[in-house]
Amino acid sequence: MPVPTTTMDPLLQPYRLKHLTLRNRVVSTSHEPAYGEDGLPKDRYRAYHLEKARGGVGLTMIGGSAVVSPDSPPSFGNLLLYRDEIVPWLRRLTDDVHEAGAAVMCQVTHLGRRTSNYSGDWLPLVAASALREPAHRAFPKAAEPWDLDRIVADYAAAAVRCQAGGLDGIELQAYGHFLDSFLSPLTNQRDDAWGGSIEHRTAFPLRVIRAVREAVGPDFVLGIRMAFDEDHPDGLTFSDAVYAATRFSAAGIDFISAIRGSIESDASLARTIPPIGTPLGSFLEFTGEIRRNVDVPVMHAARIADPATARYALREGLVDLVGMTRAQIADPHLVAKVAAGEEDRIRPCVGASYCLDAIYDSGDSKCIHNPATGRELQLPHVIAPTARSRSKAVIVGAGPAGLEAARVLGELGHHVVLFEASDAPGGQIRLAASNPRRRDLLGIVDWRFSECKHLGVDLRLGAYAEAADVTAEHPDLVVIATGGMPDRSFLAAGEDLVSDTWDVMSGSLRPGGTSEILVYDDHGGHPAMDAVELLAPAGAQLHYVTPERTLAPDIGSMNSPAYLRVFAEHGVTTTLARRLRAVRRSPDGRLTATLHSEYTRTDTEQTVDHVVVEHGTLPNVELYADLLAGSTNLGEVDHRALLAYEKQTVVRNAAGRYQLFRIGDAVTSRNIHAAVYDALRLCLPV
């Protein structure tokens, strides 16, 4: 219940959850960033949640799917609650978070079938029934009575460890995991006391809830995160879910974190955790209906990316507590900025879902444009003005790398001049955002541009900088962030005949609806898929060709469904494991592409009206090359210092007048996170 307060902002109002008073109604809901070590929440994990506590969150929830049993092996860095060694690490984390003013809870689960047979201790997976989960592709066995007995005991023991670790409560996970494999008719095909009617399907989750409540006593906060509609014609219905929730609360559940959807496939996961291009607060009205039908507090988190949406949810009585999880991955100081009247300075969550996809791509969570997230032990989220002498810096290029360099140097208090040849900032992000579904990417640019204005950076748009323009500023530091240009040079012949994805995204290539187009993707990321998404609705016949064994391997499960829907809706054909070697003009004026198979060592040909290629970018190095001779370091980067976040001190030319570095795609073709990370770790020690 709300606690009386003087603030009128519903986000900042305290809230009483059982005996626990939260300082505000903003939650970072349970999620797993995969920052643990050996299944334990050690220093990196602790620092990540401590930053949110320092940033003002009311409740931070750790252990997105912390597991209770060895036959629930981690699928994405899960914490291991079945180990006694976890207790002191939990205690360190909770003590620090409490000291910073926030409450902390842990999500507790048995993953059931949502993991792999071939990891951990290689034990057979268990679920209510022996049904394969498409996403993780494991075949579980149907849980036997002795499995149920030990798993109930494991839940209770894990809860006791959380309590001993000083946590304020726990949350049982019941969507896509073991508990709800009993609850949902989609996954429960049992004909014993645990299957059939909704009364029987709730029996095993109730057994776990009662065992946990008995183990931790009446005062420890116990919640459940569960789906109220699986968005499937044969799935859990709203009425059955409300029935289950009512029984759960009577058995000891104190709050519900509400979910709509299911997570057994990439397509369903992306609907349940809505990515970029979907409406904000997609399920808030649905959650309001849940709140009207249950008798315990309700929290919810799904694309609540900004304070305005969160306030709406609270003012309209749709939730009791509002989850802003991805929003605080982007800016863990979101609440503090709201409280300080600096809402316009919140680093926005753009919905790119790199935080989720990066776990599978590179091993842990990363915000697409906040490289300090997950690196709190090395990098600050709040940059204090430097005590060192003020320097003059010139940045060339206002893409994500250049804007980040200008922002960081401006925060430090240096005098910064930023040259940008275009009349608008953004670089390749502006191209990517020409896909209407991904226009929110511009938030990465807009926030940095606004911050640069706030910090007094001298922003010179429409100014093509040459070496003389740079040296005329008498800089101490020059950072080249001029990006790159599309690389067609990989072709043995026909480089002048093909188009590239920039032509599509910029609008310079708009073929007619009867055109036949081959899109060749030798990059594996978003650009070629964005080009297909723009071209397909015009009615052209599209052929997607890649040398990879799968489509766009660098696009994860959160982002791939939107592209694959376009492929399905518009009949885009796909050819895997074929490399584009050359393109020639045919007698009829069309283009013939030569495609090579490395497996059969043979060539095939395909004739189309247009060939669009994506092979990354080649760096724009002309200005960098012109400035090298006048630099002290001749462009050299001391990698040891860079990786230690220390100042660059290399001197190769004592007669030089400035340090010179290049970052982002001006070095080589990479992604947005790499660009901003380059800029932050290079410029922070200046």
Side-chain angles (χ1 to χ4, degrees), residues 16-309:
R16 190 179 302 281
L17 181 59
K18 206 168 187 176
H19 66 278
L20 180 67
T21 299
L22 307 176
R23 61 181 169 183
N24 57 58
R25 296 221 243 169
V26 180
V27 180
S28 173
T29 56
S30 303
H31 61 289
E32 184 47 68
Y35 296 156
E37 300 171 49
D38 304 317
L40 304 174
K42 295 186 180 181
D43 290 343
R44 184 188 184 196
Y45 205 104
R46 177 177 53 83
Y48 168 70
H49 284 280
L50 177 58
E51 194 70 36
K52 297 184 185 188
R54 289 171 174 165
V57 72
L59 167 63
T60 189
M61 303 184 77
I62 71 169
S65 307
V67 298
V68 302
S69 305
D71 66 336
S72 174
S75 57
F76 39 81
N78 311 65
L79 301 182
L80 305 180
L81 287 176
Y82 56 82
R83 295 180 58 188
D84 289 336
E85 301 96 311
I86 201 168
V87 174
W89 291 105
L90 290 173
R91 174 62 70 175
R92 287 192 64 191
L93 187 154
T94 55
D95 285 349
D96 283 0
V97 168
H98 287 158
E99 185 177 352
V104 57
M105 298 186 189
C106 182
Q107 185 181 84
V108 178
T109 198
H110 189 294
L111 290 165
R113 64 180 190 156
R114 191 170 173 76
T115 183
S116 171
N117 285 303
Y118 311 125
S119 62
D121 295 313
W122 284 58
L123 292 170
L125 302 186
V126 294
S129 299
L131 300 174
R132 188 182 196 230
E133 190 216 40
H136 290 77
R137 301 184 300 281
F139 292 91
K141 72 162 188 170
E144 299 175 67
W146 62 270
D147 290 311
L148 302 183
D149 292 343
R150 65 177 176 80
I151 289 173
V152 170
D154 287 345
Y155 266 104
V160 169
R161 292 186 185 96
C162 289
Q163 189 176 41
L167 290 160
D168 297 294
I170 63 171
E171 169 188 86
L172 302 177
Q173 212 278 26
Y175 74 107
H177 290 193
F178 189 67
L179 286 185
D180 63 289
S181 72
F182 288 85
L183 189 60
S184 170
L186 273 176
T187 50
N188 188 339
Q189 297 181 355
R190 301 176 74 102
D191 57 6
D192 58 8
W194 311 110
S197 68
I198 183 59
E199 292 84 0
H200 287 180
R201 299 200 313 271
T202 58
F204 182 73
L206 278 168
R207 183 180 169 191
V208 170
I209 291 166
R210 289 169 180 148
V212 169
R213 175 53 74 200
E214 182 178 358
V216 297
D219 297 328
F220 195 60
V221 178
L222 176 58
I224 191 166
R225 195 171 200 181
M226 60 177 287
F228 279 75
D229 175 6
E230 290 187 305
D231 193 21
H232 189 286
D234 300 317
L236 185 69
T237 64
F238 183 79
S239 60
D240 278 0
V242 169
Y243 170 86
T246 302
R247 295 195 69 190
F248 294 165
S249 61
I253 288 295
D254 299 311
F255 71 88
I256 289 170
S257 183
I259 295 292
R260 185 174 194 177
S262 59
I263 54 175
E264 77 281 353
S265 69
D266 288 353
S268 62
L269 178 68
R271 287 193 294 267
T272 301
I273 308 176
I276 193 169
T278 56
L280 294 176
S282 309
F283 306 134
L284 281 176
E285 304 304 323
F286 175 78
T287 306
E289 187 64 21
I290 295 170
R291 186 171 182 261
R292 288 187 287 273
N293 280 274
V294 299
D295 55 3
V296 293
V298 172
M299 72 171 71
H300 173 68
R303 196 106 157 90
I304 303 175
D306 65 290
T309 303

Side-chain angles (χ1 to χ4, degrees), residues 3 295 300 386 434 456 487 556 581 586 596 683:
V3 177
D295 55 3
H300 173 68
T386 181
S434 63
D487 182 9
R581 286 285 183 85
S586 301
H596 178 75
C683 295

